[in-house]
Amino acid sequence: MSPESTGQNEHHLTVYRRGFRTWRGNRPFWAGLFTILGGLPIAYFPYANMHLGNMTIAMSTTAGAGSLIIGILLITLGFTMWFHHIVRVFAGVAAILLALISIPVANIGGFIVGFLFSLLGGALSIAWAPAEAQASAASGEAQVSGDGDPEVPEQRQEAHGAAEAPRRPMMFKAAAEADGGRHRAG
């Protein structure tokens, strides 16, 4: 074993932290977290009892069931952003709409706290985009031929073995070169 190979000597918490960092980077993590944190006060406050000395203040309203449904839906949308990041735009739009509906239904959106967290989580979910793969950036972009099929360099084909390289849509630059740089009508 060489002194440069530290993989076997790493602490298990470091391995878990790196695994969590990789998992977190592949999905809209903060959007889901803010949406979940926004759903909790919206669902909780209508059923909460505050005690001030010997006096109990009940926050329950006639819209308690609506608040509970909105809060649970926001929590579910937060988990959806984490585990099914393909539908992140739908989940973000739904979170924003539920946050707006929570203002009249759920004690002013969980006393504004739940409303703001849910609104921020929905906006972050819509704005999140997956990062480009670092392997493709390091080896160079695939050349696109005139017919729209990418020509993958040999070094990338060898890295994938016998598997076929994934197809990418035709880029705008290649479409302009295919027409000789002119518009179709010109």
Side-chain angles (χ1 to χ4, degrees):
M1 178 137 115
S2 74
E4 295 175 4
S5 62
T6 59
Q8 295 178 351
N9 296 332
E10 289 184 0
H11 194 264
H12 65 278
L13 290 177
T14 304
V15 174
Y16 290 135
R17 184 181 56 85
R18 286 183 182 160
F20 177 69
R21 180 184 288 173
T22 302
W23 178 83
R24 186 186 69 192
N26 292 333
R27 60 201 75 244
F29 175 77
W30 294 107
L33 183 67
F34 281 127
T35 305
I36 290 170
L37 289 177
L40 290 175
I42 289 174
Y44 174 74
F45 283 140
Y47 296 100
N49 291 330
M50 293 174 41
H51 299 284
L52 299 173
N54 291 333
M55 186 171 51
T56 301
I57 300 174
M59 305 295 282
S60 60
T61 62
T62 57
S67 300
L68 183 65
I69 290 171
I70 290 172
I72 288 175
L73 283 175
L74 284 169
I75 292 169
T76 304
L77 287 171
F79 283 118
T80 301
M81 291 172 195
W82 281 354
F83 297 111
H84 296 287
H85 60 277
I86 306 274
V87 293
R88 65 180 169 75
V89 174
F90 167 75
V93 170
I96 290 172
L97 290 176
L98 285 172
L100 291 172
I101 290 171
S102 74
I103 291 175
V105 172
N107 292 335
I108 311 171
F111 296 116
I112 305 294
V113 173
F115 165 72
L116 290 177
F117 278 150
S118 300
L119 198 66
L120 180 63
L124 285 174
S125 178
I126 292 171
W128 183 83
E132 291 288 328
Q134 292 180 0
S136 65
S139 65
E141 292 296 319
Q143 300 290 331
V144 179
S145 63
D147 59 354
D149 293 333
E151 297 173 41
V152 181
E154 272 62 43
Q155 60 187 5
R156 286 180 59 192
Q157 286 180 351
E158 291 171 5
H160 293 293
E164 185 177 294
R167 296 203 168 236
R168 294 171 44 165
M170 183 165 50
M171 310 243 179
F172 177 73
K173 181 179 172 185
E177 291 174 0
D179 292 334
R182 292 175 283 146
H183 192 276
R184 281 185 248 172

